[in-house]
Amino acid sequence: MSLKQWADNGWLNPHRTSREEISNLLNIVERDLTDAQGDISPDWRFGIAYNAALKLCRILLAAEGYRPSHTLQHYRTLAALPEILGNARKADAEYLDDCRKKRNIVEYDYVGGASESDADELIVFVKAFKDDVITWLQKHHPELI
């Protein structure tokens, strides 16, 4: 299913992004990566790293001319990853969806749901993913970077 079909279903809204918006989102990613490596609980480190990953997916959607509708916003933002970067990234979208579920638990249900290794793994993932997103932007939307 294409992003256009997602929009036709009301899952995405058309969005015109700008170099400034993309720059601001990349700055949030940098801040979150720095903060996620701070001396705070694994739950917060994980949640902050998750936010950085979500922003990278939001950059991809914005560059393609969309933003998620309000219903299931995080889920759809992450699920769009293989639609934009290709099916080879489907496992990454599934990993990030698992992170979304864990982030919801540590944010709303109880303390201690994320371990140090969970946070470290997600931070490593986000660092590599950030490089991939920037490379993709340079190739497909150089006017935005």
Side-chain angles (χ1 to χ4, degrees), residues 9-82:
N9 289 338
W11 302 342
L12 299 175
N13 295 316
H15 177 68
R16 185 179 196 104
T17 192
S18 65
R19 180 185 286 245
E20 181 181 7
E21 180 185 27
I22 299 299
S23 176
N24 286 336
L25 291 170
L26 286 170
N27 286 337
I28 290 171
V29 170
E30 283 301 317
R31 178 204 63 199
D32 288 353
L33 277 172
T34 298
D35 291 353
Q37 296 172 85
D39 187 22
I40 54 178
S41 74
D43 288 345
W44 276 119
R45 293 180 57 227
F46 186 86
I48 294 168
Y50 167 80
N51 190 57
L54 184 67
K55 292 301 178 280
L56 289 168
C57 291
R58 187 171 154 200
I59 287 169
L60 294 171
L61 263 180
E64 289 294 292
Y66 298 100
R67 67 177 175 205
S69 63
H70 290 291
T71 304
L72 301 173
Q73 190 171 13
H74 286 209
Y75 171 77
R76 291 201 171 107
T77 300
L78 301 174
L81 175 59

